[in-house]
Amino acid sequence: MNRNIFIIEDDIHLLEALTEGLRQWSFTVSSPNDFSNVMEGFVANKPHLVMIDIQLPQFDGFHWCREIRAVSKVPILFLSSRDHPMDMIMAMNSGADDYVQKPFHMDVLLAKVNAILRRTYTYEEAQADVIEWNQAIIDLKRGDIYKNGTSVDLTKNEFFILSVLVKSSNQIISRNELMKMLWDDDQYINDNTLTANLTRLRQKLSTIQLADGIVTKKGLGYMAVTL
C-alpha cells in the first residue's frame, strides 16, 4: 500500500532531498503550504507518518507535534540538528515516536520510517479519525470538535448528528434518515427529540461561529454547508 508522509520542514533544500529520496521508495510526500496553519495541511493530506523539524516559522515543531497528537495517533518522527538531550526529551513528551539527528544518512532514515510504519500498520490500516469542516477539527474517535483552540462539549446524540451531516457536507439528509441512523445506533430518538438536539447543537456551535453551518431545508431535511 502506498504511504503518505507529511513533512513539516522549512529548509527547502532538505525538503526537496527528502521528497526525492522517499518517492524513490514509492512514498507519497506532502508538506504544509502555510506554516501558520499546519493543521489544515495535515487534515487535508491524512498522512500515515509525519516528519517534523523543531525550528520552524511561527510556531516550533513541539507545538505542532502537540496539536497533531491532540487529534491523531499518526506516528511522528522528529528531524533536527539539535543534539541536546532535553530537545529529545521534549520531542518525546510532546508525543513523538522517534528522533533523528541531522545530518543523517538517507538509508538510516528510510530504515526507521519503514520500521515505524510496519509497527504501526501491520495489523491495522490507517483510518481517517479527523475531519476538517469550516476551519474546525472534528475528532471522530474522541467525539470532539474544536476551532481556534476552543472546544465544544457535545452530547453523544449531538455529536452523532453533526458527524453524519458533516460526512455528507453540502448534501441534504432527511429527518427520517437521521432518526433511522440514531435508532440503529441504539439511541432511540423521536421527531421532537431530534428537533431539540438540533437546536442545542446549533446553540453550541455558535460558540465557535458555526451555528450557520447547519442549514434547514424546509420539507427536505438538514445540510452541513461550507461557509
Side-chain angles (χ1 to χ4, degrees), residues 11 32 113 176 184:
D11 182 333
V113 167
N176 285 339
D184 290 343

Side-chain angles (χ1 to χ4, degrees), residues 3-147:
R3 304 295 191 188
N4 178 18
I5 297 179
F6 189 64
I7 305 177
I8 309 171
E9 171 63 72
D10 65 332
D11 182 333
I12 188 64
H13 299 296
L14 178 58
L15 177 61
E16 289 175 351
L18 285 170
T19 300
E20 181 180 354
L22 291 166
R23 284 179 176 165
Q24 288 178 356
W25 285 83
S26 300
F27 289 106
T28 298
V29 180
S30 56
S31 55
N33 296 320
D34 180 2
F35 281 101
S36 66
N37 192 2
V38 167
M39 291 303 291
E40 183 175 299
F42 169 77
V43 172
N45 285 284
K46 299 179 176 63
H48 295 88
L49 183 144
V50 174
M51 290 184 186
I52 183 169
D53 191 10
I54 292 178
Q55 292 177 288
L56 296 167
Q58 306 289 328
F59 301 99
D60 63 23
F62 302 131
H63 168 83
W64 292 117
C65 183
R66 288 190 294 270
E67 288 287 303
I68 292 170
R69 191 54 79 225
V71 299
S72 175
K73 296 179 181 177
V74 67
I76 300 173
L77 175 63
F78 265 84
L79 301 176
S80 177
S81 57
R82 295 189 186 180
D83 60 358
H84 196 285
M86 186 54 66
D87 291 315
M88 301 178 191
I89 292 171
M90 286 184 64
M92 297 305 175
N93 287 343
S94 299
D97 296 89
D98 209 338
Y99 189 106
V100 174
Q101 188 180 336
K102 301 174 185 175
F104 50 82
H105 195 285
M106 192 65 190
D107 289 341
V108 174
L109 180 66
L110 282 168
K112 281 187 173 285
V113 167
N114 283 321
I116 293 173
L117 291 174
R118 186 169 55 248
R119 186 168 63 244
T120 306
Y121 300 108
T122 295
Y123 301 110
E124 180 180 356
E125 288 301 324
Q127 296 180 356
D129 52 10
V130 293
I131 300 174
E132 190 276 336
W133 177 59
N134 292 321
Q135 290 79 56
I137 302 295
I138 299 175
D139 187 331
L140 299 174
K141 291 189 175 179
R142 293 171 182 258
D144 192 20
I145 175 172
Y146 73 92
K147 181 180 179 182

Side-chain angles (χ1 to χ4, degrees), residues 134-189:
N134 292 321
Q135 290 79 56
I137 302 295
I138 299 175
D139 187 331
L140 299 174
K141 291 189 175 179
R142 293 171 182 258
D144 192 20
I145 175 172
Y146 73 92
K147 181 180 179 182
N148 297 330
T150 300
S151 180
V152 180
D153 183 22
L154 300 179
T155 66
K156 182 178 179 180
N157 281 351
E158 291 162 359
F159 186 80
F160 186 91
I161 293 168
L162 176 66
S163 61
V164 167
L165 294 175
V166 171
K167 285 177 181 176
S168 301
S169 284
N170 301 308
Q171 299 177 41
I172 296 172
I173 304 295
S174 71
R175 292 178 65 87
N176 285 339
E177 285 179 277
L178 276 174
M179 286 190 286
K180 185 176 183 301
M181 283 187 274
L182 284 160
W183 176 278
D184 290 343
D185 196 49
D186 296 329
Q187 300 298 307
Y188 173 73
I189 189 167

